[in-house]
mmCIF file of all heavy atoms in Angstrom:
data_model
loop_
_atom_site.group_PDB
_atom_site.id
_atom_site.type_symbol
_atom_site.label_atom_id
_atom_site.label_comp_id
_atom_site.label_asym_id
_atom_site.label_seq_id
_atom_site.Cartn_x
_atom_site.Cartn_y
_atom_site.Cartn_z
ATOM 1 N N SER A 351 8.357 -6.658 -9.136
ATOM 2 C CA SER A 351 6.967 -6.620 -8.690
ATOM 3 C C SER A 351 6.432 -8.016 -8.391
ATOM 4 O O SER A 351 5.587 -8.188 -7.534
ATOM 5 C CB SER A 351 6.079 -5.924 -9.724
ATOM 6 O OG SER A 351 6.085 -6.651 -10.934
ATOM 7 N N ALA A 352 6.932 -9.028 -9.090
ATOM 8 C CA ALA A 352 6.496 -10.399 -8.814
ATOM 9 C C ALA A 352 6.905 -10.808 -7.404
ATOM 10 O O ALA A 352 6.165 -11.470 -6.692
ATOM 11 C CB ALA A 352 7.085 -11.358 -9.830
ATOM 12 N N ILE A 353 8.080 -10.389 -6.999
ATOM 13 C CA ILE A 353 8.545 -10.705 -5.657
ATOM 14 C C ILE A 353 7.816 -9.843 -4.635
ATOM 15 O O ILE A 353 7.352 -10.327 -3.615
ATOM 16 C CB ILE A 353 10.072 -10.502 -5.544
ATOM 17 C CG1 ILE A 353 10.786 -11.500 -6.458
ATOM 18 C CG2 ILE A 353 10.539 -10.656 -4.112
ATOM 19 C CD1 ILE A 353 12.257 -11.243 -6.617
ATOM 20 N N LEU A 354 7.676 -8.580 -4.933
ATOM 21 C CA LEU A 354 7.039 -7.676 -3.990
ATOM 22 C C LEU A 354 5.558 -7.996 -3.793
ATOM 23 O O LEU A 354 5.009 -7.721 -2.744
ATOM 24 C CB LEU A 354 7.177 -6.228 -4.463
ATOM 25 C CG LEU A 354 8.582 -5.651 -4.422
ATOM 26 C CD1 LEU A 354 8.594 -4.252 -5.009
ATOM 27 C CD2 LEU A 354 9.128 -5.647 -3.011
ATOM 28 N N ALA A 355 4.921 -8.585 -4.804
ATOM 29 C CA ALA A 355 3.487 -8.833 -4.716
ATOM 30 C C ALA A 355 3.154 -10.090 -3.916
ATOM 31 O O ALA A 355 1.993 -10.357 -3.678
ATOM 32 C CB ALA A 355 2.887 -8.915 -6.109
ATOM 33 N N ALA A 356 4.139 -10.858 -3.506
ATOM 34 C CA ALA A 356 3.872 -12.067 -2.727
ATOM 35 C C ALA A 356 3.228 -11.696 -1.396
ATOM 36 O O ALA A 356 3.554 -10.690 -0.783
ATOM 37 C CB ALA A 356 5.165 -12.832 -2.492
ATOM 38 N N MET A 357 2.292 -12.527 -0.962
ATOM 39 C CA MET A 357 1.595 -12.279 0.295
ATOM 40 C C MET A 357 2.286 -13.053 1.426
ATOM 41 O O MET A 357 2.735 -14.174 1.224
ATOM 42 C CB MET A 357 0.132 -12.707 0.185
ATOM 43 C CG MET A 357 -0.710 -12.181 1.321
ATOM 44 S SD MET A 357 -2.460 -12.595 1.183
ATOM 45 C CE MET A 357 -2.893 -11.907 -0.367
ATOM 46 N N SER A 358 2.344 -12.451 2.578
ATOM 47 C CA SER A 358 2.977 -13.090 3.736
ATOM 48 C C SER A 358 2.129 -14.253 4.240
ATOM 49 O O SER A 358 0.963 -14.404 3.866
ATOM 50 C CB SER A 358 3.157 -12.079 4.864
ATOM 51 O OG SER A 358 1.903 -11.791 5.473
ATOM 52 N N ASP A 359 2.695 -15.024 5.114
ATOM 53 C CA ASP A 359 1.936 -16.038 5.835
ATOM 54 C C ASP A 359 0.987 -15.333 6.800
ATOM 55 O O ASP A 359 1.168 -14.162 7.126
ATOM 56 C CB ASP A 359 2.882 -16.949 6.634
ATOM 57 C CG ASP A 359 3.742 -17.819 5.730
ATOM 58 O OD1 ASP A 359 3.303 -18.137 4.604
ATOM 59 O OD2 ASP A 359 4.856 -18.174 6.154
ATOM 60 N N THR A 360 0.005 -16.071 7.272
ATOM 61 C CA THR A 360 -0.936 -15.531 8.248
ATOM 62 C C THR A 360 -0.225 -15.308 9.574
ATOM 63 O O THR A 360 0.518 -16.170 10.047
ATOM 64 C CB THR A 360 -2.110 -16.500 8.442
ATOM 65 O OG1 THR A 360 -2.757 -16.693 7.170
ATOM 66 C CG2 THR A 360 -3.114 -15.957 9.442
ATOM 67 N N LYS A 361 -0.463 -14.148 10.162
ATOM 68 C CA LYS A 361 0.120 -13.803 11.462
ATOM 69 C C LYS A 361 -1.009 -13.452 12.420
ATOM 70 O O LYS A 361 -2.083 -13.026 11.997
ATOM 71 C CB LYS A 361 1.062 -12.606 11.317
ATOM 72 C CG LYS A 361 2.199 -12.854 10.350
ATOM 73 C CD LYS A 361 3.020 -11.606 10.137
ATOM 74 C CE LYS A 361 4.088 -11.876 9.089
ATOM 75 N NZ LYS A 361 4.909 -10.722 8.822
ATOM 76 N N ASP A 362 -0.756 -13.627 13.699
ATOM 77 C CA ASP A 362 -1.741 -13.233 14.707
ATOM 78 C C ASP A 362 -1.812 -11.713 14.786
ATOM 79 O O ASP A 362 -0.796 -11.023 14.606
ATOM 80 C CB ASP A 362 -1.367 -13.785 16.083
ATOM 81 C CG ASP A 362 -1.543 -15.294 16.169
ATOM 82 O OD1 ASP A 362 -2.371 -15.849 15.418
ATOM 83 O OD2 ASP A 362 -0.853 -15.920 16.989
ATOM 84 N N GLY A 363 -3.021 -11.209 15.060
ATOM 85 C CA GLY A 363 -3.196 -9.776 15.232
ATOM 86 C C GLY A 363 -2.270 -9.244 16.305
ATOM 87 O O GLY A 363 -2.003 -9.911 17.301
ATOM 88 N N ASP A 364 -1.758 -8.050 16.103
ATOM 89 C CA ASP A 364 -0.857 -7.432 17.072
ATOM 90 C C ASP A 364 -1.290 -5.979 17.283
ATOM 91 O O ASP A 364 -2.283 -5.519 16.722
ATOM 92 C CB ASP A 364 0.599 -7.534 16.616
ATOM 93 C CG ASP A 364 0.846 -6.937 15.234
ATOM 94 O OD1 ASP A 364 0.024 -6.114 14.767
ATOM 95 O OD2 ASP A 364 1.856 -7.282 14.614
ATOM 96 N N GLU A 365 -0.545 -5.278 18.099
ATOM 97 C CA GLU A 365 -0.907 -3.898 18.447
ATOM 98 C C GLU A 365 -0.943 -2.995 17.218
ATOM 99 O O GLU A 365 -1.859 -2.182 17.054
ATOM 100 C CB GLU A 365 0.078 -3.332 19.476
ATOM 101 C CG GLU A 365 -0.307 -1.968 19.984
ATOM 102 C CD GLU A 365 0.631 -1.470 21.071
ATOM 103 O OE1 GLU A 365 1.129 -2.289 21.864
ATOM 104 O OE2 GLU A 365 0.852 -0.240 21.115
ATOM 105 N N GLU A 366 0.028 -3.135 16.320
ATOM 106 C CA GLU A 366 0.069 -2.296 15.116
ATOM 107 C C GLU A 366 -1.146 -2.554 14.222
ATOM 108 O O GLU A 366 -1.774 -1.612 13.720
ATOM 109 C CB GLU A 366 1.351 -2.568 14.328
ATOM 110 C CG GLU A 366 1.457 -1.739 13.067
ATOM 111 C CD GLU A 366 2.720 -2.041 12.275
ATOM 112 O OE1 GLU A 366 3.582 -2.796 12.730
ATOM 113 O OE2 GLU A 366 2.816 -1.495 11.153
ATOM 114 N N THR A 367 -1.494 -3.830 14.059
ATOM 115 C CA THR A 367 -2.657 -4.171 13.230
ATOM 116 C C THR A 367 -3.942 -3.670 13.870
ATOM 117 O O THR A 367 -4.846 -3.185 13.181
ATOM 118 C CB THR A 367 -2.720 -5.695 13.009
ATOM 119 O OG1 THR A 367 -1.451 -6.146 12.537
ATOM 120 C CG2 THR A 367 -3.782 -6.055 11.992
ATOM 121 N N GLN A 368 -4.025 -3.746 15.183
ATOM 122 C CA GLN A 368 -5.208 -3.237 15.876
ATOM 123 C C GLN A 368 -5.333 -1.728 15.691
ATOM 124 O O GLN A 368 -6.429 -1.210 15.501
ATOM 125 C CB GLN A 368 -5.165 -3.596 17.365
ATOM 126 C CG GLN A 368 -6.417 -3.172 18.118
ATOM 127 C CD GLN A 368 -7.683 -3.829 17.567
ATOM 128 O OE1 GLN A 368 -7.728 -5.046 17.429
ATOM 129 N NE2 GLN A 368 -8.700 -3.045 17.261
ATOM 130 N N GLN A 369 -4.218 -1.016 15.728
ATOM 131 C CA GLN A 369 -4.251 0.428 15.515
ATOM 132 C C GLN A 369 -4.767 0.765 14.118
ATOM 133 O O GLN A 369 -5.528 1.720 13.948
ATOM 134 C CB GLN A 369 -2.868 1.039 15.740
ATOM 135 C CG GLN A 369 -2.457 1.073 17.194
ATOM 136 C CD GLN A 369 -1.030 1.583 17.384
ATOM 137 O OE1 GLN A 369 -0.319 1.855 16.426
ATOM 138 N NE2 GLN A 369 -0.616 1.708 18.631
ATOM 139 N N ILE A 370 -4.373 -0.026 13.126
ATOM 140 C CA ILE A 370 -4.866 0.176 11.767
ATOM 141 C C ILE A 370 -6.374 -0.053 11.725
ATOM 142 O O ILE A 370 -7.123 0.731 11.129
ATOM 143 C CB ILE A 370 -4.124 -0.738 10.778
ATOM 144 C CG1 ILE A 370 -2.663 -0.292 10.672
ATOM 145 C CG2 ILE A 370 -4.808 -0.748 9.414
ATOM 146 C CD1 ILE A 370 -1.751 -1.277 9.978
ATOM 147 N N CYS A 371 -6.835 -1.110 12.388
ATOM 148 C CA CYS A 371 -8.273 -1.380 12.451
ATOM 149 C C CYS A 371 -9.011 -0.228 13.111
ATOM 150 O O CYS A 371 -10.084 0.180 12.640
ATOM 151 C CB CYS A 371 -8.543 -2.680 13.209
ATOM 152 S SG CYS A 371 -8.126 -4.145 12.255
ATOM 153 N N ASN A 372 -8.460 0.289 14.179
ATOM 154 C CA ASN A 372 -9.089 1.423 14.863
ATOM 155 C C ASN A 372 -9.199 2.628 13.935
ATOM 156 O O ASN A 372 -10.192 3.365 13.972
ATOM 157 C CB ASN A 372 -8.305 1.800 16.116
ATOM 158 C CG ASN A 372 -8.340 0.720 17.179
ATOM 159 O OD1 ASN A 372 -9.163 -0.195 17.138
ATOM 160 N ND2 ASN A 372 -7.415 0.797 18.120
ATOM 161 N N GLN A 373 -8.193 2.833 13.081
ATOM 162 C CA GLN A 373 -8.188 3.984 12.175
ATOM 163 C C GLN A 373 -9.244 3.859 11.079
ATOM 164 O O GLN A 373 -9.758 4.873 10.601
ATOM 165 C CB GLN A 373 -6.808 4.159 11.541
ATOM 166 C CG GLN A 373 -5.762 4.617 12.536
ATOM 167 C CD GLN A 373 -4.373 4.659 11.921
ATOM 168 O OE1 GLN A 373 -4.170 4.312 10.765
ATOM 169 N NE2 GLN A 373 -3.394 5.085 12.714
ATOM 170 N N VAL A 374 -9.560 2.633 10.655
ATOM 171 C CA VAL A 374 -10.524 2.462 9.549
ATOM 172 C C VAL A 374 -11.913 2.041 10.032
ATOM 173 O O VAL A 374 -12.824 1.892 9.221
ATOM 174 C CB VAL A 374 -10.005 1.459 8.489
ATOM 175 C CG1 VAL A 374 -8.694 1.947 7.886
ATOM 176 C CG2 VAL A 374 -9.885 0.059 9.050
#
């Protein structure tokens, strides 16, 4: 869980992230 809980680096918004935003 310590490894899994690490946060990624910042990435630019993409189509998949925009779709998630549209859903919420």
Side-chain angles (χ1 to χ4, degrees):
S351 63
I353 295 170
L354 291 176
M357 194 177 302
S358 73
D359 292 332
T360 301
K361 301 174 184 180
D362 289 334
D364 56 20
E365 186 176 326
E366 180 181 354
T367 309
Q368 184 60 52
Q369 288 175 357
I370 292 167
C371 286
N372 294 344
Q373 290 175 358
V374 300

